[in-house]
Amino acid sequence: MSAYSDLYRKELLENIIPFWTKNSLDTEYGGYFTCLDRVGKVFDTDKFAWLQGRQIWTYSMLYDKVEANPEWLKIAEHGASFMQKHGRDANGDWYFSFTQNGTPLIQPYNIFSDCFAALGFGGLYKINNKEEHAEIARSTFNRINSRRNNPKGKYNKTIPGSRDLKNFSLPMILCNLSLELEHLLDASTVKNLIDEVLYEVMDVFYQPDSGLILENVCQDGRFSNSFEGRVVNPGHVIEAMWFIMDLGVRLKDNTLIDKAVEIALNALEFGWDQKYDGILYFKDIKGFPVQQLEWDQKLWWVHVEALVTMAKGYQLTGNQKCKAWFDKLHNYTWKNFRDEEKGGEWYGYLNRRGEVSIPLKGGKWKGCFHIPRALYQISEIFKNIPENKAEIIL
Amino acid sequence: MSAYSDLYRKELLENIIPFWTKNSLDTEYGGYFTCLDRVGKVFDTDKFAWLQGRQIWTYSMLYDKVEANPEWLKIAEHGASFMQKHGRDANGDWYFSFTQNGTPLIQPYNIFSDCFAALGFGGLYKINNKEEHAEIARSTFNRINSRRNNPKGKYNKTIPGSRDLKNFSLPMILCNLSLELEHLLDASTVKNLIDEVLYEVMDVFYQPDSGLILENVCQDGRFSNSFEGRVVNPGHVIEAMWFIMDLGVRLKDNTLIDKAVEIALNALEFGWDQKYDGILYFKDIKGFPVQQLEWDQKLWWVHVEALVTMAKGYQLTGNQKCKAWFDKLHNYTWKNFRDEEKGGEWYGYLNRRGEVSIPLKGGKWKGCFHIPRALYQISEIFKNIPENKAEIIL
C-alpha cells in the first residue's frame, strides 16, 4: 500500500500545504485569510473562528508529526496570536467571526468556534509547551463543558418544552476533542468525557433499527418525526466513526471498533448516490423531501473524511469492504475534487453530477483542515499496511 | 392576449387551487398542512406562520376578486381561527412554527411571520368585515412598525457597531403590505409608510452604478464589501419591482413605473443563467464565490414573480422587452415547474439544469401563495391587453 501512502503524502506536502502557506497569512493584521479563490487570491478578508482554530491545529500537527519545521511553528503561532488578542468575549467564549483587523463581527453563538479554538491551542501547546496556550485550551474546554446542555444559549429559538432536540455535532466533535486534549486535562476528566460521549453517540444517536445515526433526536433519545428529526448527514456519521475507532484503539476495545466500521459502512451505503456517484450531503431517513436545498451536493469534507474512515477501518479490522470503498472513494475524490489544472488546495463544493459548483478553494467554512488532516492520516495508515493485506494492530 | 389570460386562469382554478383545497386543510386541529408531496399527501404535520398567513390571504383574495365562493371564505376563516388561537406570544408577536395541534415550536424571531399574518388577516377582513380580524391586522402592523429597526431583536447575532447591515426583504415586503392594508390603516400612516419604503428601496438599496438592488447594505446605505454586502437575489429584486409598479399606479407616477421596469430588466439580465436558462437564486455583484450553496438553483417563486413583473411592466409601459422576457419566462416556467404528469401544484425546487431537485409541492417555505397570486394577476393583466399591443393604462 505504499503507493497510496506516497501519493497522499506528496499531495499534502507539495500541493496542499504550500497553497495555504503561500496564500493564507495576513502579514498586516495577523491571523489567516481563508476566502481564497481558485489560484489562492484573497476574495474576502473576514476571519472565522472555526477556521482560525483549525489552521492553528493543522500546522501544529504537521510540526508534531511530519517534521519539526520552524516555519510551521511560526505559522501556527501567527494564528494563535491573532486569536489570543481578538478571539474571546468577557466570558471567555469565542466570537464566530471578525473583520480583517480583528474587530468581532458575530457573537459567540456557535460552540464549535470554542471546540476548534481548544483544538488549535491544545495542539500548539503540544509543540511549543507554552503554558499560556495550555491555559487557553483548558479554560475553553471548561466553558464548552458548562455550555454543553444549551450550546446556543440565548440564541436558541426553540420554545422550551415544545420539541427540544439535541444535535449530534457536539458529542461527535467531543469524541475527537477528548483525545486531542488528553495531554492537558486530568485523567478522570478525560475518562468521564469519553464515557459520556461514547454513550451519546453509540447508544442515544445510533438507531439500531436502521443501523444509522440521526443528526437530531429528542432529549430522551426518542426519534422525532420532523424535518430535523428525520435528517441524516452521512458525512457526519462516517467522520464520527473514525473518531470512535480512535477511541476504540485508545480503550483497546475491538467490539467498539467493529461497531464503528459497521455503522460507517451502513452510512456509506445509505448516502451513496446511485445515480452520479459520490456521497449525498443530506437524506431523510423516511425518504421524504429534505429541507436542505443543497442535499444532493458533494462536499470535500464528506469525501476526505470517508477516505480516512475506510482506510482506518481497513487497517484496524482488515474488512475488505473498507478497502473496496476506499478505492472507489479515492477514484471519485481525486477525479472530482482535485484541481488537476491549477493545483493547490482542492475544490470544496460540487453539484450532484460532480461538477464544480462554487470555484473557491477556501471560504467561510472551508479552510486548512479536513484535506491536510485526511491526507496525513491516510498516508500514515497505508505506510503501515503491507500490500494487499490488512494488519490488525491492536 | 386572451390566450395567456385563459391559460393562467384555467391553471389557477382547475389545477392549483383544487390541489390546496383538497390536501391542505387539517380538519382535526385546524390550520393548513403545507408539507405536501407530489400527489398532495401530507409528509410532515408542522405548521408555519408564513404559510398560514399567506394561505389565509390567497383564499380571501380569490373570494374578493375571482368569485364570492363560500367554500373559499370558509377555508380562509379555517386558517385564521387556528392562528387566532395559537399564533401569538404575550407581546402579540407571531411564532414561527407550530406542531400540528398548535403548540408553538419556534420563537417569534422572524418578522415576516408578522408581515404575512397582517397580510392574511387584512385580506380576510376585506371579505368578511369582522372587526376582530381588522384588529389583528392593525395591531400586528403596529408591532412590525415598532420592531422595524431591529427586526431580529434579541436573536440578532451581529455585534452592535461592527457591521450593522440592513436587509432588503422588510422594506420590500412593506411596499406590498402598505397597499394590502390600506383599507384598515389611516391615510397618513399609509402615506408615511409608502414614502419611507419607496425611499429605502429606490434610493438606499438601489445602486445606480450597477442598476441593481443589493440584499444588504450598511445602515447609512453604503456598500459593504462582504459576503452579505455583495449578494444579489435577482428574484427579490424582480418581485419588488412589481410592488413598486403597484405603488406607481397608486401614486400615478409614471417615472417610478419606468424606473421599476428598468431595474427589473437589469436584474433579469444579471440573474439569467446563460448556460441552462432560468433565473439564478443568488449572485455576487463582484463575481466572487457566494456563500449560498443553493445559488444556482431555480426556484418557483423567483420565476412566477418574474412573470408577474414582466406582464405588469408590459401592461403599464408597453415596453417590448417585457413582452419578450414574459414569453421566454413563460416557456421556461411552464416546461420545468409544472407537473405535466400528475398535475396539481407546481414543483418548487429545480437544479441548475431545470431538473426537479426536491419533489415536494409544498413544504416549510412553499405554500399556497406565489403561484396562485401570480396566476391570478397574469390572467387579469392579459385580459386587458389587446393582442400584440400594450395599453398604457395610467
Side-chain angles (χ1 to χ4, degrees), chain B residues 183-356:
Chain B
H183 60 294
L184 46 75
L185 299 175
D186 64 73
S188 69
T189 303
V190 173
K191 191 190 171 303
N192 290 342
L193 180 64
I194 290 177
D195 286 351
E196 279 173 49
V197 294
L198 273 180
Y199 170 76
E200 283 288 303
V201 171
M202 305 302 274
D203 291 295
V204 177
F205 284 93
Y206 172 67
Q207 311 290 309
D209 51 344
S210 62
L212 294 168
I213 284 173
L214 292 166
E215 273 299 283
N216 301 287
V217 297
C218 299
Q219 291 295 333
D220 61 7
R222 276 180 308 113
F223 174 66
S224 163
N225 189 13
S226 59
F227 281 105
E228 293 77 15
R230 291 189 300 268
V231 76
V232 177
N233 180 329
H236 259 179
V237 181
I238 298 165
E239 181 181 3
M241 290 306 107
W242 77 250
F243 297 167
I244 298 288
M245 289 181 212
D246 279 2
L247 288 172
V249 172
R250 166 76 178 65
L251 302 170
K252 303 198 195 307
D253 182 343
N254 274 322
T255 311
L256 184 62
I257 292 172
D258 288 341
K259 190 73 191 169
V261 168
E262 181 196 321
I263 297 173
L265 289 168
N266 293 341
L268 252 174
E269 267 155 43
F270 178 79
W272 190 253
D273 183 354
Q274 299 297 338
K275 205 164 169 185
Y276 297 108
D277 290 345
I279 304 165
L280 297 164
Y281 193 7
F282 294 103
K283 273 182 83 175
D284 184 289
I285 200 159
K286 294 194 167 200
F288 295 144
V290 288
Q291 62 174 324
Q292 289 84 358
L293 300 190
E294 66 275 25
W295 72 278
D296 64 353
Q297 298 188 5
K298 310 292 162 65
L299 269 67
W300 84 104
W301 66 265
V302 172
H303 291 77
V304 301
E305 296 302 343
L307 281 165
V308 173
T309 304
M310 289 300 107
K312 211 171 277 234
Y314 181 51
Q315 176 192 37
L316 297 176
T317 69
N319 188 326
Q320 289 297 326
K321 280 189 197 160
C322 293
K323 177 63 169 56
W325 268 114
F326 182 88
D327 292 338
K328 189 170 173 173
L329 285 162
H330 170 84
N331 292 336
Y332 181 88
T333 302
W334 281 68
K335 175 168 167 258
N336 293 287
F337 285 100
R338 195 164 178 267
D339 184 356
E340 187 70 43
E341 198 190 318
K342 301 276 183 192
E345 171 70 34
W346 296 0
Y347 288 117
Y349 302 95
L350 313 180
N351 68 18
R352 184 166 183 180
R353 291 176 190 243
E355 299 157 342
V356 174

Side-chain angles (χ1 to χ4, degrees), chain A residues 337-375:
Chain A
F337 285 100
R338 196 164 178 267
D339 184 357
E340 188 70 43
E341 198 190 317
K342 302 276 184 191
E345 170 71 38
W346 296 358
Y347 288 116
Y349 302 95
L350 313 180
N351 66 19
R352 183 164 184 181
R353 291 175 190 243
E355 300 157 341
V356 174
S357 167
I358 300 184
L360 56 72
K361 296 291 181 70
K364 185 172 171 179
W365 303 100
K366 181 173 190 286
C368 177
F369 184 64
H370 287 286
I371 291 177
R373 183 175 73 172
L375 295 179

Side-chain angles (χ1 to χ4, degrees), chain A residues 44 46 95 104-107 157-159 162-163 226 230 291 293 295 297 349 353 355 357 364, chain B residues 44 46 95 104-107 109 157 159 162-163 226 230 291 293 295 297 349 353 355 357 364:
Chain A
D44 193 283
D46 282 357
Y95 296 111
L105 280 169
I106 301 289
Q107 301 281 10
K157 296 172 194 151
T158 310
I159 310 264
S162 62
R163 187 190 286 153
S226 59
R230 289 189 302 267
Q291 62 174 322
L293 300 191
W295 73 278
Q297 298 189 4
Y349 302 95
R353 291 175 190 243
E355 300 157 341
S357 167
K364 185 172 171 179
Chain B
D44 193 281
D46 282 356
Y95 295 112
L105 281 169
I106 301 290
Q107 302 281 10
Y109 78 100
K157 297 172 193 151
I159 310 263
S162 62
R163 188 190 285 153
S226 59
R230 291 189 300 268
Q291 62 174 324
L293 300 190
W295 72 278
Q297 298 188 5
Y349 302 95
R353 291 176 190 243
E355 299 157 342
S357 167
K364 185 172 170 178

